[in-house]
Amino acid sequence: MAMANNNTQCFTCHEENNTYTCKTCSNELCFIHLPEHQQRLNKELYHIIDHYNIFKERIDEQKQHLHNNSLMKQIHQSEINSTEIIQQTPKDCREIVRKSSQTYTNDIEMKFNDIREQIKQMQNENGFSEINLNHLRSQLFKITEELNNLPNIPIHHDSQAFISEVSIISEKKPKFNKWKQNAITAAAGNGSGHKLNQCYRPGAIFIDKKKNIFIADTYNHRITEWKCTAKEGLIIAGGNGSGSRMSQLNQPKDVIVDQKNHSIIIADFGNKRVIQWMNRNQRIIIDNIDCCGLAIDKHGFLYVSDSYKNEVKRWKMGEYNEGIVVAGGNEKGDQLSQLNSPGYIFVDKDQSVHVSDRYNHRVMKWRKGAKEGTIVAGGNGFGQNLNQLSYPYGVIVDNLDQIYVVDSGNNRIMGWCEGKEEGKIVVGGNGQGNQSNQLNKPMGLSLDNEGNLYVVDCGNHRIQKFELIL
């Protein structure tokens, strides 16, 4: 266990005190909640074992009733109503369903056996962490969901034919942009540090028209600009240590560039202010705000998320009075009119606000003037399934209204179509790591004007570029 860290917020009680770092999950915990943390890990393992035993009964039952499902009954009824001449058609359909169901069940059983071996290994070695348990729990949730949702093979009946015909039809799936799965490091990637070729837990980026990268270098308390293909960055704001002076920043979370007046706007989170830097001159434009995310729409309005007040406000550029609440603002909660620690935001061409609702594990869309939002990604609790998110952060929407969101807790980027029940992994999702196809606690993301995807790989202290496949 690491030495105590001073004046750090405890992950459990959120109080600032001397904390200790859990090596397995990197959470900071105070002395009181540290033993509770370990006890919870042990309890969760036993819960997973119970879940495993229940699942074993389910899969045995599923194997016994493989042939007794509604699809088979529909095909059988069609066979009765048809003549001997067309009996080959339902026979072929039945074979398709049988093979599909058999393959599906065999695949689930293989995954189930793998989980059984992992549990045995944990019990024999008596060594496991919260990361191990989260991974194990996610696998169980996923295969349980697969078992509850048998292959979707809709039946088509042709009632206009002389003899009723039946056939198998396929379901069309949404199309997302595709990127190369092995990224190029576009900035930093030389370990954590304060040198010009390094970052320290960066939070967000902004890509301008020339593909220059502006980085909110959070724990270096600075904003750096990396020219396209540059090997090191240039400090353009902060960089004078953590502090509240006008020349200083304190854990900046986000940065955007107002290309109309060539200024940069910074969410100076630790100082609870939004600050504008223009030609090396600074001014506070919004004060007393727990600012996490920033956005500017095409009409020149500035949007800021407040993680403490659980709201997003809008200001007209140059007129920074009280601002107008455009999302949330109804205390902390999980209702459609509420948010719980909103993070990054994106405003589309219709001035609809997309906000990562972090502790509700979902992305919300608030149309202009709406009193409540709609869930456009996640919203099915914390988890690793394709219909779930785990602490979402960065969010963007492309020209085809496809939503891309940083699924930070699952180390992946998800693509989502509004109205769909689940998303798709577009990059990452290969476990936590530092390989070119892996991410480690990603935070922000952005697209350049050619459609290449940039991800703030916070835990690896680097910016990753995933090139678009044309």
Side-chain angles (χ1 to χ4, degrees):
M1 182 167 296
M3 301 257 324
N5 300 316
N6 294 326
N7 298 326
T8 309
Q9 192 178 78
C10 172
F11 180 79
T12 300
C13 64
H14 305 295
E15 295 292 333
E16 289 194 359
N17 207 333
N18 288 343
T19 61
Y20 299 82
T21 303
C22 176
K23 287 186 177 180
T24 59
C25 59
S26 302
N27 288 327
E28 300 291 339
L29 297 150
C30 67
F31 182 77
I32 294 174
H33 292 103
L34 185 61
E36 295 179 3
H37 184 65
Q38 187 59 46
Q39 291 174 7
R40 181 171 60 82
L41 296 184
N42 286 303
K43 288 182 179 178
E44 288 183 2
L45 177 60
Y46 289 119
H47 286 316
I48 289 174
I49 292 172
D50 290 339
H51 191 169
Y52 159 85
N53 292 328
I54 294 172
F55 185 85
K56 185 177 185 302
E57 296 177 3
R58 289 286 309 282
I59 197 167
D60 289 339
E61 180 183 354
Q62 176 61 32
K63 290 171 67 176
Q64 294 174 4
H65 296 85
L66 179 63
H67 300 281
N68 185 22
N69 59 54
S70 60
L71 293 178
M72 291 296 189
K73 291 179 180 179
Q74 292 183 56
I75 295 169
H76 182 65
Q77 185 62 44
S78 175
E79 183 180 11
I80 294 174
N81 297 333
S82 302
T83 66
E84 292 182 357
I85 298 174
I86 66 161
Q87 284 181 355
Q88 187 63 38
T89 300
K91 181 179 178 181
D92 292 343
C93 290
R94 187 186 298 108
E95 185 64 15
I96 291 172
V97 172
R98 189 193 66 78
K99 289 182 178 179
S100 177
S101 298
Q102 183 68 60
T103 301
Y104 198 80
T105 304
N106 289 345
D107 181 63
I108 293 177
E109 188 172 22
M110 288 177 62
K111 296 176 183 177
F112 166 77
N113 291 333
D114 181 63
I115 292 175
R116 179 185 59 193
E117 293 303 317
Q118 293 180 55
I119 291 176
K120 284 183 179 179
Q121 184 177 355
M122 283 187 184
Q123 290 178 315
N124 292 336
E125 296 178 357
N126 195 27
F128 55 90
S129 67
E130 185 173 26
I131 294 175
N132 301 137
L133 293 177
N134 283 338
H135 181 66
L136 200 58
R137 187 187 306 106
S138 296
Q139 290 182 75
L140 278 170
F141 284 160
K142 185 174 182 179
I143 61 176
T144 301
E145 186 71 15
E146 290 176 3
L147 190 63
N148 290 335
N149 296 281
L150 292 176
N152 186 13
I153 312 175
I155 296 294
H156 170 69
H157 293 279
D158 187 359
S159 60
Q160 300 300 318
F162 177 73
I163 300 177
S164 178
E165 296 182 0
V166 61
S167 61
I168 301 295
I169 60 176
S170 61
E171 180 183 8
K172 293 183 179 180
K173 295 184 177 180
K175 293 183 178 180
F176 296 97
N177 285 336
K178 292 185 178 180
W179 292 275
K180 294 180 180 179
Q181 295 302 296
N182 292 292
I184 301 168
T185 299
N190 299 297
S192 64
H194 63 274
K195 296 179 181 179
L196 292 179
N197 69 341
Q198 294 177 308
C199 289
Y200 184 21
R201 299 190 70 81
I205 53 173
F206 182 93
I207 312 291
D208 69 10
K209 295 178 181 178
K210 298 180 180 179
K211 298 187 180 65
N212 300 320
I213 306 172
F214 297 80
I215 304 175
D217 193 359
T218 303
Y219 280 84
N220 277 326
H221 313 289
R222 67 189 184 186
I223 306 297
T224 57
E225 178 184 3
W226 292 65
K227 299 294 185 182
C228 184
T229 71
K231 299 300 182 182
E232 61 180 35
L234 173 69
I235 300 172
I236 59 173
N240 299 304
S242 172
S244 59
R245 297 197 306 270
M246 291 299 292
S247 63
Q248 293 179 305
L249 298 172
N250 185 357
Q251 296 185 26
K253 295 286 189 180
D254 201 358
V255 58
I256 54 176
V257 178
D258 185 356
Q259 299 182 69
K260 292 182 179 180
N261 59 18
H262 305 288
S263 70
I264 60 173
I265 299 172
I266 305 163
D268 191 9
F269 178 78
N271 286 320
K272 298 181 182 294
R273 66 190 183 186
V274 178
I275 190 167
Q276 182 182 49
W277 286 55
M278 183 186 300
N279 299 323
R280 292 287 176 177
N281 296 316
Q282 311 90 31
R283 70 180 182 122
I284 299 171
I285 56 177
I286 304 171
D287 204 356
N288 192 29
I289 182 171
D290 287 81
C291 46
C292 280
L294 303 171
I296 296 179
D297 68 17
K298 64 181 182 180
H299 302 289
F301 287 96
L302 174 66
Y303 300 74
V304 185
S305 64
D306 188 325
S307 61
Y308 179 76
K309 294 182 179 179
N310 298 292
E311 64 186 17
V312 179
K313 278 189 172 183
R314 185 186 73 193
W315 286 264
K316 185 175 182 180
M317 294 292 286
E319 299 179 10
Y320 304 107
N321 40 38
E322 290 298 318
I324 299 173
V325 175
V326 293
N330 297 299
E331 299 183 346
K332 178 173 67 177
D334 61 1
Q335 301 301 306
L336 294 180
S337 63
Q338 296 177 307
L339 299 169
N340 189 352
S341 190
Y344 296 138
I345 51 179
F346 183 91
V347 182
D348 65 19
K349 59 184 179 297
D350 299 319
Q351 292 182 293
S352 295
V353 179
H354 296 73
V355 53
S356 56
D357 193 8
R358 290 180 295 179
Y359 291 169
N360 283 325
H361 310 291
R362 65 189 185 184
V363 175
M364 299 293 291
K365 177 180 179 179
W366 290 64
R367 299 186 184 277
K368 184 179 179 181
K371 298 301 181 182
E372 62 179 32
T374 57
I375 301 172
V376 293
N380 296 297
F382 168 94
Q384 199 177 27
N385 294 328
L386 293 179
N387 68 342
Q388 294 177 305
L389 297 172
S390 175
Y391 301 104
Y393 276 83
V395 58
I396 55 176
V397 182
D398 67 12
N399 294 331
L400 299 176
D401 294 326
Q402 307 282 19
I403 302 160
Y404 298 96
V405 55
V406 174
D407 190 7
S408 185
N410 290 319
N411 299 296
R412 65 191 185 185
I413 309 301
M414 298 292 291
W416 222 291
C417 285
E418 184 176 349
K420 294 296 181 180
E421 293 183 357
E422 63 180 35
K424 177 184 177 182
I425 301 172
V426 293
V427 299
N430 300 303
Q432 185 180 86
N434 60 7
Q435 300 301 308
S436 61
N437 69 340
Q438 292 180 306
L439 300 169
N440 182 357
K441 296 182 179 178
M443 298 288 284
L445 79 167
S446 184
L447 293 169
D448 65 19
N449 52 19
E450 293 181 353
N452 300 306
L453 180 67
Y454 296 74
V455 179
V456 180
D457 194 8
C458 177
N460 287 321
H461 316 286
R462 65 187 183 183
I463 310 301
Q464 294 293 85
K465 177 183 177 182
F466 294 87
E467 295 181 318
L468 180 69
I469 299 175
L470 299 176

